[in-house]
Amino acid sequence: MQTEQQELPIKPKAETLKPAPRPNVPKKKRKGKMKQNMVGWAFVGPIVLFVVAFIYYGIFYNAYNSFFSWDGISFDKVFVGFENYAEMFRDPDFYLSLKNTFIFTILTVTIQAFIGLVLAYFLHTQGPLRTAMKSVFFFPVVLSPVVLGAAFSQIYDFQFGYINEFLRAIGLGSLEQNWLGDPDIALYSVIAINIFQWTGSSMVMYYMAMLTIEKEIFEAAKIDGAGFFRTLWSIVFPNLKGTTFTLSILGVIGGLKTFDLVWITTAGGPGSSTEFISTYLFRKSMLQQEVGFSSAVAIILLTIALLITYIQLRVQKKMDN
Amino acid sequence: MNVESKKSRWVINLVLMLASIVWLFPIFVMFKESLRVNGFENYIATLQNPNFPTFVFNSFFVAFFMIIISITILAFAAFAFSKLEFAGKRLLFNMVLAGLMLPVASMIVPLFFTLRSFDGLNNHWGLIGAEVAFFLPFGLMLIKGYFDELPNELMEAAYIDGATILEVFFKVMLPLAKPALATALIYAFLNSWNEYLMVLTFMTDPAYQTVTMAPSFFKDALGGDPGKIYASLVLISLPTMVFYIFFQRFFQKGMTAGAVK
C-alpha cells in the first residue's frame, strides 16, 4: 500500500508537496520518479510547445532583428548595432505614442475604477432590477472594439453626430467639437469609448468582492452613524484594495495592448495625436516596412510589460504578507 | 443596508436608471443607423453581398477549431500543472503565464515570418494557431485555478481502486472541471470572434478574413453606404450577443476568476 501510493504521480497531501531530496532512493523508486516526470511533461508538452513556438521564438526574433536595418522583404539585412534604438529615442512620435498610452492608461484605470465602484455599490444596495442592470453595464465587454468604435464614430461625428446635434438642440451649439478630428480632443474621445466598454468588468469585480465583505461590518458602520458615502469611502473601498490593485494591473496591460479601438476610430490621427505604442509599432512594421526598427520598439514594449509584471509580483507578495 | 431615507434610495435608483440609458445608447445608435434610409433592406443587401457569408463562415471556422484545440491543450495542461508532480513544473507554468502580459502588436513581425514559413498567411490554420497561442495563458490561469479548488480525495480513491492516470483524468477530473472548461470556451469564442489585429496583418485576402474586417471591407465595396455598414455591424455582433444572453453567468465568473491571480 505504502509503496503503491508513493509511486502515484499525484500530489497526495499538502505537506508532501515538496518532498525533500533523498539521494539514496532505491532504484525502483527513482524509476517511478522518471515515469512521473514523463507523464507530466506529456500532459503539458503541447501548451509549452505552442508558447515557445509562437511567443518565445518571437521574442528572440525581435531581439535579433532589432540590431539590423531591414525592410522585411529584401535579402540585405545590414547590421547597425544599436542604431535602431538610437533612432527610436530621437523620434518624437515614439515619445508621443508612449505619452498617449500613458495618459490613456492612467485615465482609464482611475475613471473606470471609480465609476465601476460607485455602480457596484449602488447596485449592492439596490434590490429590484439589479441583475438586469448588471447585464446592461457588462454588455459592451462582449462587443468587438470594431463595432463600438464604429457606433461611437457616429455619436462623435462633427456634422451629424448625436452629441453635437444634442448640443445644438439645447442651444449650446457653441460647445460643439470635432470630437475625433481635433488633435487636442481626439485622444480623450477614444479614452471615453474604452472606459465605456470596460467599466462593466470593473463593476462586476467590485460587486463580487463586495459580497465577501461581512454584513456585520456594514451594520457596525451604520451603528457608528456612518453615512452612505462615508461607508463607501472608509469601509468598502479599503476592504477592496486587492480588487483595485488587480484592476489597475489589468488596466495597464490593456493600455499596452490597445490597438483595435484606436485603429478603427482615428488610426492614430489626426497627425500623430492619438498614436499609441501598438499603432506606432504596426505602422512602422507593416505600413512603412521598417522591420528592424519596429523590432527595437517591440523590445522596449516587452521590457515595459516585463517591468510591470515584476512590480505586480512584488506588490502582490507584500499584500499577501 | 444603510440607506437611511427614502430620498437617498430614490437618488440611487435615478442615477442607476440614467447610467443604464447612457450604456444602452451606443447600442441603440447602432440599430438606428442600420435602418437608415432603406430600413431592413440594408440587412438584406448586406446578407446578399457574396462576401458577407464568407466572412461569417471564416469566423465560425476559425473560432470552432481555435476552441477545440485550445480547450484540449488546456484541459491536459491545467490538470497536470494543478494535480501532478514533475520536474520543472513551476518554471514551465510561469513561462506560459508570462504570455498574459504580451501585447499582440509586439509579436506581429515574428508571427508574420513564422506563419509565412509554414504557408500560414491567408490560411485559416495559420490564424487559428496564432489565436490559440495567445489565448492559452489566460485559459490556463482560468482552468488551473479551478482544478486547484477541487479536492484530491476523489482522485486518490480512484488510484487506490487501480485506475490509471488517464482514467483518472478523463473519468474523474474532467467531468468535475466542466464549469471551468465552459467559461474558457466562452472566452475563447469571444477572443477569436473579436480578433482584429492578427486578421488585419495575416489575412490580407478577403477570402480568408473574418467578420471584424467586414465593416472596413464594406466601406470600400458599398461606396460607404452607412446604413449597410451598420447593418453589418449588428449582424456580426449577433453571435456574441446571443452567447452573452445565454451564458451570462459564465462571463462574469471568468471575470472574477481572472482576478484571483
Side-chain angles (χ1 to χ4, degrees), chain B:
Chain B
M1 286 234 338
N2 48 349
V3 186
E4 271 96 52
S5 60
K6 274 223 164 83
K7 207 176 107 199
S8 55
R9 184 169 283 273
W10 198 81
V11 171
I12 288 169
N13 284 335
L14 188 73
V15 171
L16 284 174
M17 285 305 254
L18 284 176
S20 301
I21 290 168
V22 170
W23 251 262
L24 285 172
F25 186 67
I27 291 134
F28 161 78
V29 167
M30 206 167 72
F31 277 107
K32 189 172 168 256
E33 293 298 319
S34 73
L35 298 172
R36 194 146 92 181
V37 187
N38 298 316
F40 275 104
E41 290 286 311
N42 288 333
Y43 284 93
I44 294 163
T46 308
L47 287 169
Q48 279 175 346
N49 185 303
N51 285 288
F52 192 75
T54 311
F55 289 133
V56 175
F57 170 78
N58 289 341
S59 274
F60 274 115
F61 185 87
V62 170
F64 180 77
F65 286 103
M66 183 270 194
I67 290 170
I68 299 273
I69 298 171
S70 308
I71 300 296
T72 311
I73 293 176
L74 284 168
F76 281 100
F79 166 72
F81 279 127
S82 176
K83 300 290 183 202
L84 302 184
E85 283 303 325
F86 52 93
K89 180 168 126 169
R90 265 183 75 110
L91 175 78
L92 292 174
F93 180 69
N94 288 332
M95 238 174 88
V96 176
L97 221 56
L100 261 181
M101 298 293 293
L102 224 67
V104 176
S106 66
M107 285 294 139
I108 46 174
V109 170
L111 274 177
F112 185 89
F113 289 106
T114 306
L115 290 182
R116 197 175 67 174
S117 60
F118 290 112
D119 198 22
L121 300 173
N122 285 323
N123 177 336
H124 291 130
W125 295 103
L127 182 62
I128 291 167
E131 283 185 6
V132 167
F134 276 86
F135 177 70
L136 290 176
F138 175 77
L140 181 65
M141 187 181 73
L142 203 75
I143 304 176
K144 190 213 169 231
Y146 193 84
F147 270 118
D148 286 343
E149 303 283 300
L150 295 177
N152 290 336
E153 279 77 22
L154 267 173
M155 201 169 68
E156 282 163 31
Y159 277 125
I160 290 163
D161 289 345
T164 67
I165 186 150
L166 281 176
E167 280 169 343
V168 168
F169 174 64
F170 280 111
K171 291 189 182 146
V172 181
M173 298 313 277
L174 219 46
L176 290 173
K178 262 187 205 151
L181 296 175
T183 306
L185 187 152
I186 282 163
Y187 272 87
F189 175 75
L190 207 62
N191 272 22
S192 177
W193 192 265
N194 290 343
E195 179 55 47
Y196 180 76
L197 178 54
M198 290 196 226
V199 186
L200 181 70
T201 316
F202 308 139
M203 308 282 123
T204 46
D205 181 348
Y208 297 98
Q209 287 175 347
T210 60
V211 291
T212 46
M213 292 297 129
S216 51
F217 178 81
F218 285 133
K219 216 173 243 169
D220 304 330
L222 300 173
D225 182 340
K228 290 182 187 118
I229 293 167
Y230 282 96
S232 75
L233 290 172
V234 173
L235 287 172
I236 67 172
S237 305
L238 278 181
T240 47
M241 287 187 196
V242 170
F243 242 67
Y244 177 57
I245 290 164
F246 283 103
F247 301 108
Q248 235 187 88
R249 60 202 178 97
F250 289 112
F251 276 98
Q252 300 186 354
K253 209 183 267 167
M255 214 74 234
T256 38
V260 175
K261 251 261 110 87

Side-chain angles (χ1 to χ4, degrees), chain A residues 183-260:
Chain A
D184 292 328
I185 300 175
L187 176 65
Y188 301 96
S189 303
V190 174
I191 292 171
I193 308 175
N194 193 58
I195 292 172
F196 170 83
Q197 177 162 27
W198 294 103
T199 293
S201 77
S202 307
M203 178 209 68
V204 166
M205 279 167 62
Y206 274 128
Y207 185 85
M208 300 277 195
M210 268 176 212
L211 296 180
T212 65
I213 301 178
E214 281 162 35
K215 272 216 169 86
E216 287 79 40
I217 299 179
F218 286 111
E219 298 293 325
K222 199 174 175 181
I223 291 161
D224 291 346
F228 186 66
F229 284 101
R230 176 83 209 187
T231 310
L232 173 63
W233 182 244
S234 352
I235 311 278
V236 179
F237 187 62
N239 263 298
L240 303 180
K241 249 194 307 188
T243 309
T244 306
F245 176 69
T246 308
L247 284 173
S248 311
I249 293 296
L250 291 176
V252 175
I253 303 172
L256 291 179
K257 285 185 178 174
T258 299
F259 177 86
D260 322 12

Side-chain angles (χ1 to χ4, degrees), chain A residues 259-268 279 282-283 287, chain B residues 196 200:
Chain A
F259 177 86
D260 322 12
L261 184 61
V262 187
W263 203 249
I264 288 291
T265 50
T266 65
T279 59
F282 180 78
R283 190 183 312 283
L287 304 183
Chain B
Y196 180 76
L200 181 70

Side-chain angles (χ1 to χ4, degrees), chain A residues 67-78:
Chain A
F67 296 112
F68 291 87
S69 172
W70 187 38
D71 62 5
I73 304 158
S74 65
F75 283 105
D76 26 296
K77 249 179 175 177
V78 185

Side-chain angles (χ1 to χ4, degrees), chain A residues 38-52, chain B residues 73 76-77 80-81 86 92 96 136:
Chain A
M38 296 297 261
V39 171
W41 293 335
F43 272 65
V44 303
I47 201 169
V48 172
L49 209 73
F50 253 95
V51 172
V52 167
Chain B
I73 293 176
F76 281 100
F81 279 127
F86 52 93
L92 292 174
V96 176
L136 290 176

Side-chain angles (χ1 to χ4, degrees), chain A residues 11 21 46 98 111 120 147 154 169 177 180 198 200 290 317:
Chain A
K11 171 168 102 178
L98 276 183
I111 298 175
V147 169
Q154 191 57 41
Q177 301 289 348
L180 289 172
W198 294 103
E290 295 185 44
K317 222 175 179 179

Side-chain angles (χ1 to χ4, degrees), chain A residues 23-78:
Chain A
N24 41 5
V25 194
K27 221 179 186 168
K28 201 180 162 199
K29 272 191 194 159
R30 226 184 271 164
K31 226 179 180 176
K33 189 108 201 173
M34 199 57 219
K35 196 185 156 208
Q36 208 172 307
N37 284 342
M38 296 297 261
V39 171
W41 293 335
F43 272 65
V44 303
I47 201 169
V48 172
L49 209 73
F50 253 95
V51 172
V52 167
F54 282 95
I55 295 177
Y56 285 90
Y57 170 72
I59 295 174
F60 288 111
Y61 192 84
N62 270 332
Y64 175 77
N65 272 334
S66 70
F67 296 112
F68 291 87
S69 172
W70 187 38
D71 62 5
I73 304 158
S74 65
F75 283 105
D76 26 296
K77 249 179 175 177
V78 185

